[in-house]
Amino acid sequence: MPNSPEPIAIIGAGIAGLTLALSLHHYSIPSVIYEMRPESHLTPGPIMLAPNALRIFDKLGVYERIRDAGFPIEGLTFSQTVQQKQKDSAKEDSVGCEKQEQIKVKKVDDWLIGHEKMYGYKALRIMRQSVLVVLRALCADVGIPIHYSKCFSHITLESPTSVSFAFTDGSTATTPFLVGADGIWSRIRSIVVPDPEKAEPVWAGGLAITATVKAEAINLPNPLQDGNEGWGLPNIMSSNAGVVLIVPYTLDGKLIQLARQWPWENLSKDGWKKLASDKQFLHDQLLRDLEVWPEPVRRGLEKLEKESIVVWPYYSLPKLERWRSEKGRVIIVGDAAHAVPPMAGQGACQGVEGAWSLAGATLNDALNLWEKQRQEHVAKVVQLTKDLNSLRLPLQERDKLGLSEEFWRNVMGRNGELMWLYGNGGIETL
Ligand SMILES: Cc1cc2nc3c(=O)[nH]c(=O)nc-3n(C[C@H](O)[C@H](O)[C@H](O)COP(=O)(O)OP(=O)(O)OC[C@H]3O[C@@H](n4cnc5c(N)ncnc54)[C@H](O)[C@@H]3O)c2cc1C
């Protein structure tokens, strides 16, 4: 990035765009953000921030302002439901040894996603809006302008030294660099990679529905008691009706997010909007196949807060051949460049890494290096998310894959095997 007196224009005030602005400021490079939504827009639901993102947030003064607003996490428990026949003593006298199904929970694995000693930080589950509020406040503190309700439309001219562009309201602006931090449905991506076949999001076939429940309503068994090891929090519990994710997201652990996912048909943008607003229908989905879950999960699903329901349709992006336009003045970052699948909780984290390292890269050669290194790193993260999918399979299915011990060691990271991800790996030379 040049040390230019003209501000760099950033499209999108999501996690990547705001982090980029603060990172540029860290290197004394001015920027300005344009966001199509109004300032009053609230983005619902919690996200997980892993040590690789928190380390950068620490450098930017974000971490100290969010750490007490979220739930700190070390290991994530993978568990499985087990059907057990139990003697029903009430019926035994009359019918003789009649048995009743009971659903137990068995621990399968622990996935280390944060560790103060190993990585410097625990992971943090936190409301996304709380993170955005802090990032925006820090931008305001250092005088980075954010123009809301300002929607990027198209580029009018890209020269070797600048970019002129227009907003949907007809106004225009010129900048030395235009950075698209405009999310998975990025308009700016089509300038960098004009062929839609190579740059359009692809339907990944699944939908997650998440909602909040009060911890006191769900009343989970204590995982420290014998026989309850499978109830460690956070938890990804598998059954033959798929998985349920159980994650606290406030420091006191009093609010818990429950999430389920299913194969789903692709919908249009309007279709997704309609689905997202139909809380009753979504609630009914969350209550599907209740009988396969153990009692506390059933209770949680029945008592969740309908208004808190959020949907996450899974799209993936093809691996893009480039993240910068041919003339090099238009750049994409965050989900606009790489929509990382959900399994590793790395979508936003990779956006944070990409933004920080983009700001730190110096003009031309370093931008080439940034693009190359980041593309290689994100490809590794995407592969990890695919490997992690096998952890969510029922044990019999998993066994059929015949995966080696070394594979599991590398995926679980208990001895630092994931240092490349949670350490400095994504940004080390920039
Ligand atoms: C339900 C759910 C749960 C998730 N959980 C996790 C998690 O636990 N951990 C994790 O790391 N990731 C998670 N993710 C992924 C993560 O949310 C994304 O990777 C991250 O938000 C990407 O950030 P971004 O800034 O690149 O894009 P976005 O957050 O999509 O922000 C893009 C911004 O650009 C604006 N914009 C778009 N077009 C224009 C335009 N033309 N003009 C002006 N502004 C525009 C948008 O309004 C938006 O504010 C989750 C995603 C979902 C949906």
Side-chain angles (χ1 to χ4, degrees), residues 11-12 14-16 34-37 47-48 125 128 150-152 181-183 312 334-335 345-349:
I11 306 299
I15 287 182
Y34 300 99
E35 166 57 50
M36 70 176 184
R37 290 174 170 149
I47 55 169
M48 213 249 332
R125 189 83 179 174
R128 179 195 299 264
K150 203 76 183 160
C151 183
F152 168 87
D182 51 343
W312 183 0
D335 271 17
Q346 277 289 323
C349 300

PDB file of all heavy atoms in Angstrom, residues 11-12 14-16 34-37 47-48 125 128 150-152 181-183 312 334-335 345-349, ligand 1:
ATOM      1  N   ILE A  11     -15.107  -0.500   0.257  1.00  0.00           N
ATOM      2  CA  ILE A  11     -16.551  -0.720   0.097  1.00  0.00           C
ATOM      3  C   ILE A  11     -16.957  -1.837   1.051  1.00  0.00           C
ATOM      4  O   ILE A  11     -16.507  -2.981   0.916  1.00  0.00           O
ATOM      5  CB  ILE A  11     -16.911  -1.110  -1.367  1.00  0.00           C
ATOM      6  CG1 ILE A  11     -16.372  -0.077  -2.368  1.00  0.00           C
ATOM      7  CG2 ILE A  11     -18.424  -1.288  -1.506  1.00  0.00           C
ATOM      8  CD1 ILE A  11     -16.898   1.328  -2.207  1.00  0.00           C
ATOM      9  N   GLY A  12     -17.804  -1.489   2.026  1.00  0.00           N
ATOM     10  CA  GLY A  12     -18.306  -2.484   2.983  1.00  0.00           C
ATOM     11  C   GLY A  12     -17.765  -2.259   4.383  1.00  0.00           C
ATOM     12  O   GLY A  12     -16.555  -2.276   4.606  1.00  0.00           O
ATOM     13  N   GLY A  14     -18.243  -4.283   6.986  1.00  0.00           N
ATOM     14  CA  GLY A  14     -18.328  -5.538   7.743  1.00  0.00           C
ATOM     15  C   GLY A  14     -17.011  -5.717   8.498  1.00  0.00           C
ATOM     16  O   GLY A  14     -16.195  -4.789   8.585  1.00  0.00           O
ATOM     17  N   ILE A  15     -16.795  -6.920   9.003  1.00  0.00           N
ATOM     18  CA  ILE A  15     -15.590  -7.155   9.812  1.00  0.00           C
ATOM     19  C   ILE A  15     -14.317  -6.910   8.989  1.00  0.00           C
ATOM     20  O   ILE A  15     -13.373  -6.266   9.459  1.00  0.00           O
ATOM     21  CB  ILE A  15     -15.627  -8.582  10.401  1.00  0.00           C
ATOM     22  CG1 ILE A  15     -16.689  -8.600  11.516  1.00  0.00           C
ATOM     23  CG2 ILE A  15     -14.265  -9.010  10.945  1.00  0.00           C
ATOM     24  CD1 ILE A  15     -16.843  -9.893  12.247  1.00  0.00           C
ATOM     25  N   ALA A  16     -14.289  -7.356   7.720  1.00  0.00           N
ATOM     26  CA  ALA A  16     -13.069  -7.190   6.911  1.00  0.00           C
ATOM     27  C   ALA A  16     -12.816  -5.717   6.587  1.00  0.00           C
ATOM     28  O   ALA A  16     -11.687  -5.228   6.722  1.00  0.00           O
ATOM     29  CB  ALA A  16     -13.170  -8.017   5.631  1.00  0.00           C
ATOM     30  N   TYR A  34     -17.372   3.081   2.660  1.00  0.00           N
ATOM     31  CA  TYR A  34     -18.743   3.286   2.167  1.00  0.00           C
ATOM     32  C   TYR A  34     -19.545   2.011   2.441  1.00  0.00           C
ATOM     33  O   TYR A  34     -19.124   0.925   2.046  1.00  0.00           O
ATOM     34  CB  TYR A  34     -18.728   3.576   0.668  1.00  0.00           C
ATOM     35  CG  TYR A  34     -17.931   4.814   0.313  1.00  0.00           C
ATOM     36  CD1 TYR A  34     -16.618   4.694  -0.160  1.00  0.00           C
ATOM     37  CD2 TYR A  34     -18.469   6.087   0.461  1.00  0.00           C
ATOM     38  CE1 TYR A  34     -15.868   5.820  -0.480  1.00  0.00           C
ATOM     39  CE2 TYR A  34     -17.729   7.221   0.151  1.00  0.00           C
ATOM     40  CZ  TYR A  34     -16.434   7.076  -0.318  1.00  0.00           C
ATOM     41  OH  TYR A  34     -15.700   8.196  -0.625  1.00  0.00           O
ATOM     42  N   GLU A  35     -20.674   2.174   3.094  1.00  0.00           N
ATOM     43  CA  GLU A  35     -21.489   1.009   3.488  1.00  0.00           C
ATOM     44  C   GLU A  35     -22.912   1.215   2.966  1.00  0.00           C
ATOM     45  O   GLU A  35     -23.518   2.257   3.203  1.00  0.00           O
ATOM     46  CB  GLU A  35     -21.474   0.861   5.018  1.00  0.00           C
ATOM     47  CG  GLU A  35     -22.518  -0.065   5.605  1.00  0.00           C
ATOM     48  CD  GLU A  35     -22.481  -1.495   5.059  1.00  0.00           C
ATOM     49  OE1 GLU A  35     -21.408  -2.105   5.021  1.00  0.00           O
ATOM     50  OE2 GLU A  35     -23.562  -1.992   4.640  1.00  0.00           O
ATOM     51  N   MET A  36     -23.439   0.224   2.276  1.00  0.00           N
ATOM     52  CA  MET A  36     -24.764   0.402   1.654  1.00  0.00           C
ATOM     53  C   MET A  36     -25.920   0.400   2.671  1.00  0.00           C
ATOM     54  O   MET A  36     -26.964   0.977   2.435  1.00  0.00           O
ATOM     55  CB  MET A  36     -25.007  -0.643   0.579  1.00  0.00           C
ATOM     56  CG  MET A  36     -25.207  -2.036   1.054  1.00  0.00           C
ATOM     57  SD  MET A  36     -25.579  -3.088  -0.365  1.00  0.00           S
ATOM     58  CE  MET A  36     -25.881  -4.634   0.467  1.00  0.00           C
ATOM     59  N   ARG A  37     -25.683  -0.239   3.823  1.00  0.00           N
ATOM     60  CA  ARG A  37     -26.784  -0.305   4.799  1.00  0.00           C
ATOM     61  C   ARG A  37     -26.814   0.971   5.642  1.00  0.00           C
ATOM     62  O   ARG A  37     -25.782   1.629   5.798  1.00  0.00           O
ATOM     63  CB  ARG A  37     -26.591  -1.497   5.723  1.00  0.00           C
ATOM     64  CG  ARG A  37     -26.816  -2.809   5.003  1.00  0.00           C
ATOM     65  CD  ARG A  37     -26.483  -3.948   5.903  1.00  0.00           C
ATOM     66  NE  ARG A  37     -26.892  -5.212   5.354  1.00  0.00           N
ATOM     67  CZ  ARG A  37     -26.260  -6.356   5.569  1.00  0.00           C
ATOM     68  NH1 ARG A  37     -25.179  -6.388   6.323  1.00  0.00           N
ATOM     69  NH2 ARG A  37     -26.704  -7.472   5.044  1.00  0.00           N
ATOM     70  N   ILE A  47     -20.713 -15.061  16.495  1.00  0.00           N
ATOM     71  CA  ILE A  47     -19.674 -15.714  15.704  1.00  0.00           C
ATOM     72  C   ILE A  47     -18.531 -16.125  16.632  1.00  0.00           C
ATOM     73  O   ILE A  47     -18.441 -15.621  17.751  1.00  0.00           O
ATOM     74  CB  ILE A  47     -19.086 -14.826  14.574  1.00  0.00           C
ATOM     75  CG1 ILE A  47     -18.568 -13.506  15.126  1.00  0.00           C
ATOM     76  CG2 ILE A  47     -20.060 -14.616  13.470  1.00  0.00           C
ATOM     77  CD1 ILE A  47     -17.752 -12.725  14.108  1.00  0.00           C
ATOM     78  N   MET A  48     -17.671 -17.002  16.113  1.00  0.00           N
ATOM     79  CA  MET A  48     -16.507 -17.411  16.878  1.00  0.00           C
ATOM     80  C   MET A  48     -15.275 -16.737  16.308  1.00  0.00           C
ATOM     81  O   MET A  48     -15.069 -16.759  15.102  1.00  0.00           O
ATOM     82  CB  MET A  48     -16.354 -18.928  16.775  1.00  0.00           C
ATOM     83  CG  MET A  48     -15.797 -19.550  17.992  1.00  0.00           C
ATOM     84  SD  MET A  48     -14.154 -20.226  17.872  1.00  0.00           S
ATOM     85  CE  MET A  48     -13.841 -20.710  16.243  1.00  0.00           C
ATOM     86  N   ARG A 125     -16.479 -16.663  21.607  1.00  0.00           N
ATOM     87  CA  ARG A 125     -17.790 -16.668  20.930  1.00  0.00           C
ATOM     88  C   ARG A 125     -18.511 -15.412  21.368  1.00  0.00           C
ATOM     89  O   ARG A 125     -18.678 -15.172  22.574  1.00  0.00           O
ATOM     90  CB  ARG A 125     -18.582 -17.911  21.341  1.00  0.00           C
ATOM     91  CG  ARG A 125     -19.843 -18.137  20.544  1.00  0.00           C
ATOM     92  CD  ARG A 125     -19.526 -18.839  19.270  1.00  0.00           C
ATOM     93  NE  ARG A 125     -20.716 -19.092  18.467  1.00  0.00           N
ATOM     94  CZ  ARG A 125     -20.678 -19.602  17.252  1.00  0.00           C
ATOM     95  NH1 ARG A 125     -19.538 -19.925  16.694  1.00  0.00           N
ATOM     96  NH2 ARG A 125     -21.773 -19.810  16.570  1.00  0.00           N
ATOM     97  N   ARG A 128     -21.945 -10.886  16.894  1.00  0.00           N
ATOM     98  CA  ARG A 128     -21.264 -10.193  15.801  1.00  0.00           C
ATOM     99  C   ARG A 128     -21.461  -8.676  15.912  1.00  0.00           C
ATOM    100  O   ARG A 128     -20.553  -7.889  15.694  1.00  0.00           O
ATOM    101  CB  ARG A 128     -21.838 -10.676  14.475  1.00  0.00           C
ATOM    102  CG  ARG A 128     -21.236 -10.007  13.258  1.00  0.00           C
ATOM    103  CD  ARG A 128     -22.104 -10.273  12.060  1.00  0.00           C
ATOM    104  NE  ARG A 128     -22.199 -11.679  11.786  1.00  0.00           N
ATOM    105  CZ  ARG A 128     -21.431 -12.322  10.906  1.00  0.00           C
ATOM    106  NH1 ARG A 128     -20.538 -11.655  10.232  1.00  0.00           N
ATOM    107  NH2 ARG A 128     -21.570 -13.601  10.703  1.00  0.00           N
ATOM    108  N   LYS A 150     -24.678   4.197   1.416  1.00  0.00           N
ATOM    109  CA  LYS A 150     -23.932   4.599   0.224  1.00  0.00           C
ATOM    110  C   LYS A 150     -23.538   3.322  -0.498  1.00  0.00           C
ATOM    111  O   LYS A 150     -22.650   2.570  -0.024  1.00  0.00           O
ATOM    112  CB  LYS A 150     -22.697   5.364   0.708  1.00  0.00           C
ATOM    113  CG  LYS A 150     -22.073   6.297  -0.265  1.00  0.00           C
ATOM    114  CD  LYS A 150     -22.827   7.591  -0.440  1.00  0.00           C
ATOM    115  CE  LYS A 150     -22.134   8.433  -1.501  1.00  0.00           C
ATOM    116  NZ  LYS A 150     -22.975   9.445  -2.061  1.00  0.00           N
ATOM    117  N   CYS A 151     -24.212   3.050  -1.622  1.00  0.00           N
ATOM    118  CA  CYS A 151     -24.040   1.751  -2.280  1.00  0.00           C
ATOM    119  C   CYS A 151     -23.168   1.882  -3.530  1.00  0.00           C
ATOM    120  O   CYS A 151     -23.509   2.613  -4.465  1.00  0.00           O
ATOM    121  CB  CYS A 151     -25.427   1.196  -2.633  1.00  0.00           C
ATOM    122  SG  CYS A 151     -25.357  -0.433  -3.355  1.00  0.00           S
ATOM    123  N   PHE A 152     -22.060   1.161  -3.543  1.00  0.00           N
ATOM    124  CA  PHE A 152     -21.178   1.142  -4.720  1.00  0.00           C
ATOM    125  C   PHE A 152     -21.957   0.598  -5.909  1.00  0.00           C
ATOM    126  O   PHE A 152     -22.661  -0.395  -5.797  1.00  0.00           O
ATOM    127  CB  PHE A 152     -19.957   0.245  -4.436  1.00  0.00           C
ATOM    128  CG  PHE A 152     -19.154  -0.070  -5.661  1.00  0.00           C
ATOM    129  CD1 PHE A 152     -18.148   0.785  -6.092  1.00  0.00           C
ATOM    130  CD2 PHE A 152     -19.418  -1.205  -6.408  1.00  0.00           C
ATOM    131  CE1 PHE A 152     -17.411   0.502  -7.237  1.00  0.00           C
ATOM    132  CE2 PHE A 152     -18.692  -1.501  -7.551  1.00  0.00           C
ATOM    133  CZ  PHE A 152     -17.687  -0.644  -7.962  1.00  0.00           C
ATOM    134  N   ALA A 181     -14.604  -4.889   0.155  1.00  0.00           N
ATOM    135  CA  ALA A 181     -14.809  -5.739   1.341  1.00  0.00           C
ATOM    136  C   ALA A 181     -16.318  -5.926   1.429  1.00  0.00           C
ATOM    137  O   ALA A 181     -16.916  -5.778   2.495  1.00  0.00           O
ATOM    138  CB  ALA A 181     -14.246  -5.064   2.582  1.00  0.00           C
ATOM    139  N   ASP A 182     -16.912  -6.218   0.276  1.00  0.00           N
ATOM    140  CA  ASP A 182     -18.373  -6.174   0.149  1.00  0.00           C
ATOM    141  C   ASP A 182     -19.033  -7.550   0.199  1.00  0.00           C
ATOM    142  O   ASP A 182     -20.133  -7.739  -0.329  1.00  0.00           O
ATOM    143  CB  ASP A 182     -18.787  -5.382  -1.107  1.00  0.00           C
ATOM    144  CG  ASP A 182     -18.077  -5.832  -2.376  1.00  0.00           C
ATOM    145  OD1 ASP A 182     -17.040  -6.522  -2.263  1.00  0.00           O
ATOM    146  OD2 ASP A 182     -18.542  -5.511  -3.482  1.00  0.00           O
ATOM    147  N   GLY A 183     -18.362  -8.493   0.843  1.00  0.00           N
ATOM    148  CA  GLY A 183     -19.034  -9.749   1.189  1.00  0.00           C
ATOM    149  C   GLY A 183     -19.145 -10.746   0.045  1.00  0.00           C
ATOM    150  O   GLY A 183     -18.678 -10.508  -1.072  1.00  0.00           O
ATOM    151  N   TRP A 312     -28.317 -19.422   7.910  1.00  0.00           N
ATOM    152  CA  TRP A 312     -27.032 -19.309   7.217  1.00  0.00           C
ATOM    153  C   TRP A 312     -27.023 -20.297   6.043  1.00  0.00           C
ATOM    154  O   TRP A 312     -26.696 -21.453   6.203  1.00  0.00           O
ATOM    155  CB  TRP A 312     -25.880 -19.611   8.182  1.00  0.00           C
ATOM    156  CG  TRP A 312     -24.508 -19.455   7.577  1.00  0.00           C
ATOM    157  CD1 TRP A 312     -24.208 -19.086   6.284  1.00  0.00           C
ATOM    158  CD2 TRP A 312     -23.249 -19.640   8.224  1.00  0.00           C
ATOM    159  NE1 TRP A 312     -22.856 -19.020   6.112  1.00  0.00           N
ATOM    160  CE2 TRP A 312     -22.237 -19.364   7.281  1.00  0.00           C
ATOM    161  CE3 TRP A 312     -22.872 -20.015   9.512  1.00  0.00           C
ATOM    162  CZ2 TRP A 312     -20.884 -19.459   7.579  1.00  0.00           C
ATOM    163  CZ3 TRP A 312     -21.526 -20.098   9.814  1.00  0.00           C
ATOM    164  CH2 TRP A 312     -20.549 -19.831   8.861  1.00  0.00           C
ATOM    165  N   GLY A 334     -11.609 -10.383   2.363  1.00  0.00           N
ATOM    166  CA  GLY A 334     -12.720 -10.967   3.145  1.00  0.00           C
ATOM    167  C   GLY A 334     -13.550 -11.914   2.291  1.00  0.00           C
ATOM    168  O   GLY A 334     -13.044 -12.529   1.343  1.00  0.00           O
ATOM    169  N   ASP A 335     -14.834 -12.045   2.634  1.00  0.00           N
ATOM    170  CA  ASP A 335     -15.712 -12.972   1.905  1.00  0.00           C
ATOM    171  C   ASP A 335     -15.795 -12.651   0.413  1.00  0.00           C
ATOM    172  O   ASP A 335     -16.118 -13.513  -0.393  1.00  0.00           O
ATOM    173  CB  ASP A 335     -17.137 -12.928   2.483  1.00  0.00           C
ATOM    174  CG  ASP A 335     -17.314 -13.932   3.615  1.00  0.00           C
ATOM    175  OD1 ASP A 335     -16.294 -14.418   4.152  1.00  0.00           O
ATOM    176  OD2 ASP A 335     -18.476 -14.227   3.973  1.00  0.00           O
ATOM    177  N   GLY A 345     -15.006 -22.379  11.604  1.00  0.00           N
ATOM    178  CA  GLY A 345     -15.265 -21.075  12.220  1.00  0.00           C
ATOM    179  C   GLY A 345     -14.202 -20.059  11.816  1.00  0.00           C
ATOM    180  O   GLY A 345     -13.712 -19.292  12.644  1.00  0.00           O
ATOM    181  N   GLN A 346     -13.826 -20.040  10.534  1.00  0.00           N
ATOM    182  CA  GLN A 346     -12.699 -19.204  10.101  1.00  0.00           C
ATOM    183  C   GLN A 346     -13.087 -18.134   9.067  1.00  0.00           C
ATOM    184  O   GLN A 346     -12.214 -17.402   8.602  1.00  0.00           O
ATOM    185  CB  GLN A 346     -11.593 -20.092   9.507  1.00  0.00           C
ATOM    186  CG  GLN A 346     -10.687 -20.701  10.564  1.00  0.00           C
ATOM    187  CD  GLN A 346      -9.775 -19.664  11.222  1.00  0.00           C
ATOM    188  OE1 GLN A 346      -9.285 -18.752  10.588  1.00  0.00           O
ATOM    189  NE2 GLN A 346      -9.568 -19.787  12.529  1.00  0.00           N
ATOM    190  N   GLY A 347     -14.365 -18.038   8.700  1.00  0.00           N
ATOM    191  CA  GLY A 347     -14.754 -17.074   7.655  1.00  0.00           C
ATOM    192  C   GLY A 347     -14.325 -15.662   8.006  1.00  0.00           C
ATOM    193  O   GLY A 347     -13.547 -15.018   7.281  1.00  0.00           O
ATOM    194  N   ALA A 348     -14.803 -15.167   9.124  1.00  0.00           N
ATOM    195  CA  ALA A 348     -14.483 -13.801   9.536  1.00  0.00           C
ATOM    196  C   ALA A 348     -13.005 -13.700   9.919  1.00  0.00           C
ATOM    197  O   ALA A 348     -12.344 -12.695   9.628  1.00  0.00           O
ATOM    198  CB  ALA A 348     -15.357 -13.405  10.717  1.00  0.00           C
ATOM    199  N   CYS A 349     -12.478 -14.762  10.540  1.00  0.00           N
ATOM    200  CA  CYS A 349     -11.072 -14.733  10.994  1.00  0.00           C
ATOM    201  C   CYS A 349     -10.129 -14.556   9.805  1.00  0.00           C
ATOM    202  O   CYS A 349      -9.155 -13.805   9.875  1.00  0.00           O
ATOM    203  CB  CYS A 349     -10.723 -16.022  11.730  1.00  0.00           C
ATOM    204  SG  CYS A 349     -11.756 -16.288  13.176  1.00  0.00           S
TER     205      CYS A 349
HETATM  206  C1  LIG B   1     -24.878 -17.326  10.659  1.00  0.00           C
HETATM  207  C2  LIG B   1     -23.403 -17.155  10.374  1.00  0.00           C
HETATM  208  C3  LIG B   1     -22.470 -17.582  11.312  1.00  0.00           C
HETATM  209  C4  LIG B   1     -21.092 -17.412  11.087  1.00  0.00           C
HETATM  210  N1  LIG B   1     -20.224 -17.829  12.026  1.00  0.00           N
HETATM  211  C5  LIG B   1     -18.899 -17.579  11.875  1.00  0.00           C
HETATM  212  C6  LIG B   1     -17.969 -17.888  12.895  1.00  0.00           C
HETATM  213  O1  LIG B   1     -18.339 -18.442  13.929  1.00  0.00           O
HETATM  214  N2  LIG B   1     -16.645 -17.573  12.726  1.00  0.00           N
HETATM  215  C7  LIG B   1     -16.201 -16.963  11.570  1.00  0.00           C
HETATM  216  O2  LIG B   1     -14.987 -16.662  11.482  1.00  0.00           O
HETATM  217  N3  LIG B   1     -17.061 -16.683  10.559  1.00  0.00           N
HETATM  218  C8  LIG B   1     -18.388 -16.955  10.682  1.00  0.00           C
HETATM  219  N4  LIG B   1     -19.262 -16.653   9.686  1.00  0.00           N
HETATM  220  C9  LIG B   1     -18.722 -16.125   8.419  1.00  0.00           C
HETATM  221  C10 LIG B   1     -18.498 -14.643   8.592  1.00  0.00           C
HETATM  222  O3  LIG B   1     -19.696 -14.057   9.019  1.00  0.00           O
HETATM  223  C11 LIG B   1     -18.048 -14.012   7.286  1.00  0.00           C
HETATM  224  O4  LIG B   1     -16.922 -14.698   6.812  1.00  0.00           O
HETATM  225  C12 LIG B   1     -17.699 -12.544   7.543  1.00  0.00           C
HETATM  226  O5  LIG B   1     -18.818 -11.828   7.958  1.00  0.00           O
HETATM  227  C13 LIG B   1     -17.154 -11.910   6.279  1.00  0.00           C
HETATM  228  O6  LIG B   1     -16.886 -10.560   6.563  1.00  0.00           O
HETATM  229  P1  LIG B   1     -16.794  -9.509   5.386  1.00  0.00           P
HETATM  230  O7  LIG B   1     -16.543  -8.196   6.047  1.00  0.00           O
HETATM  231  O8  LIG B   1     -15.848 -10.001   4.358  1.00  0.00           O
HETATM  232  O9  LIG B   1     -18.227  -9.534   4.696  1.00  0.00           O
HETATM  233  P2  LIG B   1     -19.649  -9.117   5.292  1.00  0.00           P
HETATM  234  O10 LIG B   1     -19.732  -9.385   6.733  1.00  0.00           O
HETATM  235  O11 LIG B   1     -20.652  -9.780   4.403  1.00  0.00           O
HETATM  236  O12 LIG B   1     -19.691  -7.548   5.080  1.00  0.00           O
HETATM  237  C14 LIG B   1     -19.823  -6.986   3.789  1.00  0.00           C
HETATM  238  C15 LIG B   1     -20.377  -5.583   3.959  1.00  0.00           C
HETATM  239  O13 LIG B   1     -20.393  -4.946   2.675  1.00  0.00           O
HETATM  240  C16 LIG B   1     -21.606  -4.254   2.522  1.00  0.00           C
HETATM  241  N5  LIG B   1     -21.846  -4.134   1.057  1.00  0.00           N
HETATM  242  C17 LIG B   1     -22.132  -5.124   0.195  1.00  0.00           C
HETATM  243  N6  LIG B   1     -22.280  -4.644  -1.046  1.00  0.00           N
HETATM  244  C18 LIG B   1     -22.068  -3.306  -0.975  1.00  0.00           C
HETATM  245  C19 LIG B   1     -22.095  -2.255  -1.929  1.00  0.00           C
HETATM  246  N7  LIG B   1     -22.359  -2.482  -3.235  1.00  0.00           N
HETATM  247  N8  LIG B   1     -21.842  -0.972  -1.507  1.00  0.00           N
HETATM  248  C20 LIG B   1     -21.574  -0.721  -0.182  1.00  0.00           C
HETATM  249  N9  LIG B   1     -21.562  -1.691   0.763  1.00  0.00           N
HETATM  250  C21 LIG B   1     -21.800  -2.966   0.372  1.00  0.00           C
HETATM  251  C22 LIG B   1     -22.622  -5.118   3.242  1.00  0.00           C
HETATM  252  O14 LIG B   1     -23.777  -4.386   3.590  1.00  0.00           O
HETATM  253  C23 LIG B   1     -21.817  -5.566   4.464  1.00  0.00           C
HETATM  254  O15 LIG B   1     -21.926  -4.664   5.545  1.00  0.00           O
HETATM  255  C24 LIG B   1     -20.635 -16.825   9.877  1.00  0.00           C
HETATM  256  C25 LIG B   1     -21.572 -16.407   8.911  1.00  0.00           C
HETATM  257  C26 LIG B   1     -22.941 -16.562   9.160  1.00  0.00           C
HETATM  258  C27 LIG B   1     -23.926 -16.098   8.106  1.00  0.00           C
END
